[in-house]
């Protein structure tokens, strides 16, 4: 809910009365609960770069590829774990959480040059 509120502040939208705004945020939060938290955070961050508040279809179209990528990565990690039987159990458990996926999801963000100039 906090991230939705941040998105609401960062983007423009049509005027709503307080009850309508609460209902909209509640509906979005309920819908977003169907997706993994790391995917939701990534999509809301991307939506925050836009000028306008996203309709649900636009937000869902951002979430679906992230969720599919997450599922593929988890399958690949699990398949790799099955090939390497001698790995420590604790390390294997850590490779299945959102922390492991955040590394891969960061690669999806556009890279910003930090003051490097071409000659």
């Amino acid at each position: 809910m906090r991230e939705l509120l941040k998105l609401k502040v960062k983007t423009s939208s049509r005027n709503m009365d307080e009850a309508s705004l609460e209902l909209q945020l509640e509906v979005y939060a309920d819908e977003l609960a169907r997706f993994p938290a790391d995917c939701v955070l990534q999509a809301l961050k991307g939506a925050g770069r836009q000028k306008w508040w996203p309709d649900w279809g636009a937000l869902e179209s951002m979430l679906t590829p992230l969720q599919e990528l997450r599922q593929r990565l988890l399958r690949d990690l699990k398949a790799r774990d099955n090939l390497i039987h001698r790995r420590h159990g604790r390390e294997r458990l850590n490779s299945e959480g959102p922390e492991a996926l955040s590394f891969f999801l960061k690669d999806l963000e556009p890279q910003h040059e930090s003051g490097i100039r071409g000659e």
Side-chain angles (χ1 to χ4, degrees):
M1 187 59 86
R2 179 184 169 108
E3 295 301 317
L4 278 173
L5 289 172
K6 284 169 52 174
L7 177 61
K8 196 68 169 172
V9 170
K10 290 168 63 174
T11 58
S12 298
S13 61
R14 64 183 174 93
N15 290 332
M16 296 180 146
D17 60 39
E18 188 174 333
S20 297
L21 176 60
E22 281 184 38
L23 180 61
Q24 182 185 45
L25 292 175
E26 186 177 321
V27 168
Y28 273 55
D30 286 345
E31 292 294 321
L32 290 171
R34 296 183 299 126
F35 295 91
D38 55 321
C39 296
V40 170
L41 293 175
Q42 185 77 18
L44 292 178
K45 184 178 179 181
R49 293 186 193 111
Q50 305 301 317
K51 179 179 179 176
W52 297 103
W53 172 262
D55 61 40
W56 175 249
L59 199 52
E60 189 174 36
S61 70
M62 295 168 76
L63 279 162
T64 302
L66 290 171
Q67 182 181 27
E68 290 170 355
L69 172 63
R70 183 183 198 277
Q71 289 169 342
R72 276 196 319 272
L73 290 172
L74 279 174
R75 277 195 307 271
D76 291 348
L77 288 171
K78 287 179 182 180
R80 187 186 63 164
D81 281 349
N82 290 335
L83 294 175
I84 306 171
H85 298 289
R86 301 182 74 177
R87 283 183 57 197
H88 190 273
R90 177 186 237 176
E91 182 182 346
R92 188 174 302 122
L93 286 175
N94 288 339
S95 71
E96 295 179 3
E99 298 82 15
L101 291 176
S102 67
F103 173 79
F104 294 105
L105 291 175
K106 285 180 185 176
D107 288 342
L108 296 176
E109 294 180 8
Q111 298 296 318
H112 300 288
E113 295 189 53
S114 55
I116 301 174
R117 296 182 187 172
E119 295 185 30

Short mmCIF file of all heavy atoms in Angstrom, two decimals, residues 3-4 7 31 37 41-42 45 48 56-57 59 69 95 97 101 104-108 112 114 118:
data_model
loop_
_atom_site.label_atom_id
_atom_site.label_comp_id
_atom_site.label_asym_id
_atom_site.label_seq_id
_atom_site.Cartn_x
_atom_site.Cartn_y
_atom_site.Cartn_z
N GLU A 3 3.81 1.64 -1.34
CA GLU A 3 4.34 1.86 -2.69
C GLU A 3 3.27 2.41 -3.62
O GLU A 3 3.57 3.23 -4.50
CB GLU A 3 4.95 0.57 -3.24
CG GLU A 3 6.17 0.08 -2.48
CD GLU A 3 7.30 1.09 -2.45
OE1 GLU A 3 7.59 1.71 -3.49
OE2 GLU A 3 7.90 1.26 -1.37
N LEU A 4 2.03 1.98 -3.45
CA LEU A 4 0.94 2.54 -4.26
C LEU A 4 0.74 4.02 -3.94
O LEU A 4 0.50 4.83 -4.83
CB LEU A 4 -0.36 1.78 -3.99
CG LEU A 4 -0.55 0.48 -4.74
CD1 LEU A 4 -1.81 -0.23 -4.24
CD2 LEU A 4 -0.62 0.71 -6.23
N LEU A 7 3.42 5.95 -5.61
CA LEU A 7 3.12 6.06 -7.04
C LEU A 7 2.05 7.12 -7.28
O LEU A 7 2.15 7.91 -8.22
CB LEU A 7 2.67 4.70 -7.59
CG LEU A 7 2.25 4.66 -9.05
CD1 LEU A 7 3.42 5.05 -9.95
CD2 LEU A 7 1.72 3.29 -9.41
N GLU A 31 -5.40 -6.71 -6.18
CA GLU A 31 -4.93 -7.30 -7.44
C GLU A 31 -3.43 -7.56 -7.40
O GLU A 31 -2.95 -8.59 -7.87
CB GLU A 31 -5.30 -6.42 -8.63
CG GLU A 31 -6.78 -6.34 -8.92
CD GLU A 31 -7.36 -7.67 -9.37
OE1 GLU A 31 -6.69 -8.40 -10.12
OE2 GLU A 31 -8.49 -7.97 -8.97
N ALA A 37 6.05 -10.19 -4.53
CA ALA A 37 6.35 -8.83 -4.05
C ALA A 37 7.47 -8.17 -4.84
O ALA A 37 7.39 -6.97 -5.15
CB ALA A 37 6.68 -8.87 -2.57
N LEU A 41 7.12 -4.55 -6.77
CA LEU A 41 7.98 -3.39 -6.51
C LEU A 41 8.65 -2.91 -7.79
O LEU A 41 8.75 -1.71 -8.04
CB LEU A 41 9.01 -3.73 -5.44
CG LEU A 41 8.45 -3.98 -4.04
CD1 LEU A 41 9.54 -4.42 -3.09
CD2 LEU A 41 7.73 -2.75 -3.52
N GLN A 42 9.11 -3.84 -8.60
CA GLN A 42 9.77 -3.49 -9.86
C GLN A 42 8.80 -2.78 -10.80
O GLN A 42 9.13 -1.76 -11.42
CB GLN A 42 10.33 -4.75 -10.53
CG GLN A 42 11.13 -4.51 -11.77
CD GLN A 42 12.52 -4.00 -11.45
OE1 GLN A 42 13.00 -4.13 -10.34
NE2 GLN A 42 13.15 -3.42 -12.44
N LYS A 45 7.88 0.70 -9.55
CA LYS A 45 9.01 1.61 -9.78
C LYS A 45 9.01 2.08 -11.23
O LYS A 45 9.20 3.27 -11.51
CB LYS A 45 10.32 0.89 -9.44
CG LYS A 45 11.54 1.75 -9.56
CD LYS A 45 12.78 0.96 -9.16
CE LYS A 45 14.02 1.80 -9.30
NZ LYS A 45 15.23 1.04 -8.95
N GLY A 48 6.25 4.53 -11.90
CA GLY A 48 6.53 5.84 -11.30
C GLY A 48 7.34 6.75 -12.20
O GLY A 48 7.43 7.95 -11.95
N TRP A 56 -5.24 -0.30 -14.65
CA TRP A 56 -4.86 -1.63 -14.21
C TRP A 56 -4.25 -2.46 -15.35
O TRP A 56 -3.27 -3.18 -15.15
CB TRP A 56 -6.04 -2.39 -13.58
CG TRP A 56 -5.62 -3.78 -13.28
CD1 TRP A 56 -6.03 -4.92 -13.89
CD2 TRP A 56 -4.61 -4.18 -12.34
NE1 TRP A 56 -5.36 -6.01 -13.39
CE2 TRP A 56 -4.48 -5.57 -12.43
CE3 TRP A 56 -3.81 -3.49 -11.44
CZ2 TRP A 56 -3.57 -6.29 -11.64
CZ3 TRP A 56 -2.90 -4.20 -10.66
CH2 TRP A 56 -2.80 -5.59 -10.77
N GLY A 57 -4.79 -2.34 -16.55
CA GLY A 57 -4.26 -3.11 -17.68
C GLY A 57 -2.80 -2.81 -17.96
O GLY A 57 -2.01 -3.71 -18.25
N LEU A 59 -0.58 -1.67 -15.80
CA LEU A 59 0.22 -2.19 -14.70
C LEU A 59 0.36 -3.71 -14.79
O LEU A 59 1.45 -4.26 -14.61
CB LEU A 59 -0.40 -1.78 -13.37
CG LEU A 59 0.47 -1.82 -12.14
CD1 LEU A 59 1.77 -1.07 -12.34
CD2 LEU A 59 -0.28 -1.26 -10.94
N LEU A 69 9.41 -14.08 -16.06
CA LEU A 69 10.87 -14.14 -15.94
C LEU A 69 11.26 -14.75 -14.61
O LEU A 69 12.14 -15.61 -14.53
CB LEU A 69 11.49 -12.75 -16.09
CG LEU A 69 12.98 -12.66 -15.81
CD1 LEU A 69 13.77 -13.50 -16.81
CD2 LEU A 69 13.45 -11.22 -15.83
N SER A 95 19.02 -19.54 -2.61
CA SER A 95 18.96 -19.29 -4.05
C SER A 95 17.53 -19.25 -4.57
O SER A 95 17.31 -18.93 -5.72
CB SER A 95 19.76 -20.35 -4.81
OG SER A 95 19.09 -21.59 -4.77
N GLY A 97 14.93 -17.49 -2.97
CA GLY A 97 14.18 -16.34 -2.47
C GLY A 97 14.26 -15.14 -3.38
O GLY A 97 14.98 -15.13 -4.38
N LEU A 101 16.73 -13.36 -6.85
CA LEU A 101 16.17 -12.83 -8.09
C LEU A 101 16.43 -11.35 -8.26
O LEU A 101 16.47 -10.86 -9.39
CB LEU A 101 14.67 -13.10 -8.12
CG LEU A 101 14.30 -14.56 -8.28
CD1 LEU A 101 12.80 -14.73 -8.21
CD2 LEU A 101 14.83 -15.12 -9.58
N PHE A 104 19.16 -10.67 -10.68
CA PHE A 104 18.82 -10.81 -12.09
C PHE A 104 17.90 -9.69 -12.55
O PHE A 104 18.01 -9.22 -13.66
CB PHE A 104 18.16 -12.17 -12.34
CG PHE A 104 19.10 -13.31 -12.12
CD1 PHE A 104 19.00 -14.09 -10.99
CD2 PHE A 104 20.10 -13.59 -13.04
CE1 PHE A 104 19.87 -15.14 -10.78
CE2 PHE A 104 20.97 -14.64 -12.84
CZ PHE A 104 20.86 -15.42 -11.70
N LEU A 105 16.97 -9.26 -11.70
CA LEU A 105 16.03 -8.21 -12.08
C LEU A 105 16.73 -6.87 -12.25
O LEU A 105 16.31 -6.06 -13.06
CB LEU A 105 14.90 -8.11 -11.07
CG LEU A 105 13.95 -9.30 -11.05
CD1 LEU A 105 12.93 -9.14 -9.92
CD2 LEU A 105 13.26 -9.48 -12.37
N LYS A 106 17.81 -6.65 -11.50
CA LYS A 106 18.55 -5.40 -11.65
C LYS A 106 19.14 -5.28 -13.04
O LYS A 106 19.30 -4.19 -13.56
CB LYS A 106 19.66 -5.30 -10.60
CG LYS A 106 19.14 -4.98 -9.23
CD LYS A 106 20.25 -4.89 -8.23
CE LYS A 106 19.68 -4.68 -6.85
NZ LYS A 106 20.69 -4.66 -5.83
N ASP A 107 19.44 -6.42 -13.67
CA ASP A 107 19.99 -6.39 -15.03
C ASP A 107 18.96 -5.90 -16.04
O ASP A 107 19.31 -5.48 -17.14
CB ASP A 107 20.47 -7.78 -15.44
CG ASP A 107 21.75 -8.17 -14.72
OD1 ASP A 107 22.43 -7.27 -14.18
OD2 ASP A 107 22.08 -9.37 -14.69
N LEU A 108 17.67 -5.94 -15.68
CA LEU A 108 16.63 -5.47 -16.59
C LEU A 108 16.53 -3.96 -16.64
O LEU A 108 16.03 -3.39 -17.59
CB LEU A 108 15.27 -6.04 -16.17
CG LEU A 108 15.14 -7.55 -16.25
CD1 LEU A 108 13.77 -7.95 -15.72
CD2 LEU A 108 15.31 -8.03 -17.67
N HIS A 112 22.81 3.38 -16.31
CA HIS A 112 23.12 4.81 -16.41
C HIS A 112 24.63 4.98 -16.36
O HIS A 112 25.29 4.39 -15.52
CB HIS A 112 22.49 5.59 -15.26
CG HIS A 112 20.99 5.46 -15.22
ND1 HIS A 112 20.19 6.09 -16.14
CD2 HIS A 112 20.17 4.75 -14.41
CE1 HIS A 112 18.94 5.81 -15.87
NE2 HIS A 112 18.90 4.98 -14.84
N SER A 114 27.96 6.81 -15.46
CA SER A 114 28.29 7.66 -14.33
C SER A 114 29.47 8.57 -14.68
O SER A 114 30.57 8.38 -14.21
CB SER A 114 28.62 6.80 -13.11
OG SER A 114 29.63 5.89 -13.44
N GLY A 118 32.89 9.56 -23.80
CA GLY A 118 33.62 8.99 -24.94
C GLY A 118 34.52 10.05 -25.56
O GLY A 118 34.20 11.21 -25.58
#
